[in-house]
Amino acid sequence: MNITIVAGARPNFMKIAPIIEAIKQKKSEGFDLSFRLVHTGQHYDKNLSDTFFEELNIQFPDINLDVKSGSQAEQTAAIMIGFEKELKQHPTHLVLVVGDVTSTMACTIVAKKAGVKVAHVEAGIRSGDMNMPEEINRIVTDSLTDYFFTTSTHANSNLEKSGVSKNNVYFVGNVMIDTLLKNETRFKKPPVWEKLNLQEKSYFVLTLHRPSNVDEEVQLKKLILQIAELGEKYPIIFPVHPRTQKFLKGLKLDFKNLHYISPLGYLEFNYLVKHAKAVLTDSGGITEETTVMNVPCMTLRNSTERPETCDIGTNVLVGNDPEKISQAFYKLYSGHWKQGKAPELWDGKAAIRIVDHIMEIFKLL
């Protein structure tokens, strides 16, 4: 059996690593199972792509479609054209997509039109916010998917409500956490640790890239100003996403405690997260990691596709509401932040379950 695995952006790489390892393990046990790794090139900055293959010990892709940046339509079209050629040249039994980036949706459409079955890892998550491109990607992908691998009971419920047969839904856990737990002992200090003489639980980590936070200068300036003032006693480490960098230029947001740094690799970034006093982010994936590592997290969004990080974990939604942000800092400083725990099946074995289910589906067991 041949599986084509699609990766296109930074979050995808963390999700495919344990799946590839599980496939290789089955192959070493004598099962007729192989894979081809397709990198769409949706992210092409070295710190957002190549570094992850090196750090997570993933083999380099069999092909890079090299689509790079562009508008939503331009990027989607380029991925579809490239992936269609890939499937014609390298037929497969199953296309496996992960997450909710443009590559996920585009390759799903191409596969289905080519008559190839699709498995979606992280299926069923929903934010309810149609202003997020990722939400559209999720809905389109899940409307075409054949096999749904889910991270939570919330996702299971979303799929059931949309009419998906329970027979095609497999609750397996979270592959992001597989990667986190496997590599936790390998986390390493980034150069900024020594440069600023950072101390454990005595600094904040900030990440921003959502259009609702960074595209409007007044909003971005207001948000960073409040965070810098509320966190004035602590260094705030801000690895700047390429998308955010262009919006920061000219805003003159220079505060003594705010430190802009280049994007970090997986091992260095998660070292910072693990030892932070708290994380402020508009990324969904980071809220999963902070939940498992029991690090307080403020999500600078009004909705989340990962409600379990709020229900069970350490995450709180504050949006860009000044009052909610202030309340969250007060709760943190007063020592009353909630204790989180790992949601069900976030145990480091999700990828093994996924591969076992695929083998059962295609009668390899």
Side-chain angles (χ1 to χ4, degrees), residues 28-292:
S28 72
E29 294 171 5
F31 291 98
D32 185 14
L33 190 63
S34 61
F35 70 93
R36 180 172 169 84
L37 180 56
V38 176
H39 179 10
T40 67
Q42 183 179 332
H43 279 176
Y44 56 95
D45 180 281
K46 184 172 176 61
N47 279 334
L48 295 180
S49 54
D50 288 4
T51 300
F52 281 78
F53 287 99
E54 295 163 2
E55 288 190 333
L56 302 179
N57 298 316
I58 310 169
Q59 68 174 57
F60 270 73
D62 295 287
I63 186 172
N64 188 330
L65 303 182
D66 201 28
V67 301
K68 298 187 178 178
S69 60
S71 70
Q72 288 283 331
E74 289 169 337
Q75 201 171 62
T76 302
I79 294 168
M80 292 179 74
I81 291 168
F83 193 58
E84 183 179 54
K85 292 177 181 176
E86 159 67 20
L87 287 188
K88 285 181 179 178
Q89 294 170 1
H90 300 278
T92 186
H93 298 99
L94 178 70
V95 169
L96 187 146
V97 297
V98 296
D100 52 21
V101 299
T102 302
S103 300
T104 307
M105 176 189 70
C107 291
T108 295
I109 294 171
V110 171
K112 291 302 293 181
K113 288 199 171 188
V116 180
K117 297 287 188 181
V118 174
H120 183 200
V121 175
E122 208 175 73
I125 66 172
R126 299 287 186 272
S127 69
D129 183 358
M130 291 298 288
N131 292 314
M132 292 177 61
E134 294 90 344
E135 185 76 351
I136 297 168
N137 295 341
R138 295 169 196 135
I139 292 170
V140 173
T141 299
D142 283 341
S143 71
L144 297 172
T145 291
D146 297 284
Y147 312 113
F148 303 80
F149 296 112
T150 62
T151 60
S152 69
T153 54
H154 287 290
N156 297 345
S157 178
N158 290 335
L159 291 171
E160 184 178 355
K161 288 175 184 176
S162 67
V164 174
S165 170
K166 288 184 179 180
N167 294 332
N168 295 328
V169 177
Y170 303 87
F171 178 28
V172 294
N174 193 332
V175 287
M176 280 270 284
I177 304 309
D178 289 14
T179 296
L180 182 77
L181 296 178
K182 180 182 178 182
N183 290 284
E184 197 167 7
T185 59
R186 299 176 60 232
F187 293 168
K188 59 184 180 183
K189 294 178 181 178
V192 71
W193 186 275
E194 303 294 346
K195 181 179 178 180
L196 298 180
N197 191 28
L198 296 178
Q199 303 296 318
E200 189 167 341
K201 305 303 179 186
S202 296
Y203 63 90
F204 294 103
V205 174
L206 170 66
T207 77
L208 291 170
H209 74 282
R210 299 280 176 190
S212 59
N213 284 325
V214 305
D215 283 12
E216 211 283 309
E217 286 188 2
V218 173
Q219 174 57 46
L220 178 60
K221 192 168 186 176
K222 180 180 175 183
L223 184 61
I224 292 180
L225 174 62
Q226 184 183 19
I227 292 170
E229 289 180 343
L230 288 170
E232 63 179 345
K233 295 181 181 179
Y234 300 93
I236 300 171
I237 313 305
F238 188 0
V240 181
H241 190 283
R243 172 180 172 74
T244 310
Q245 182 68 54
K246 61 182 180 181
F247 293 105
L248 287 171
K249 290 180 180 178
L251 290 185
K252 297 181 180 179
L253 293 169
D254 298 319
F255 303 95
K256 288 184 178 180
N257 64 326
L258 184 61
H259 304 277
Y260 300 103
I261 64 173
S262 298
L264 297 172
Y266 181 83
L267 300 178
E268 290 182 337
F269 179 74
N270 275 294
Y271 186 94
L272 276 186
V273 169
K274 181 176 181 179
H275 299 286
K277 184 174 185 67
V279 173
L280 297 96
T281 185
D282 56 11
S283 163
I286 292 173
T287 68
E288 296 176 321
E289 293 162 335
T290 53
T291 279
V292 171

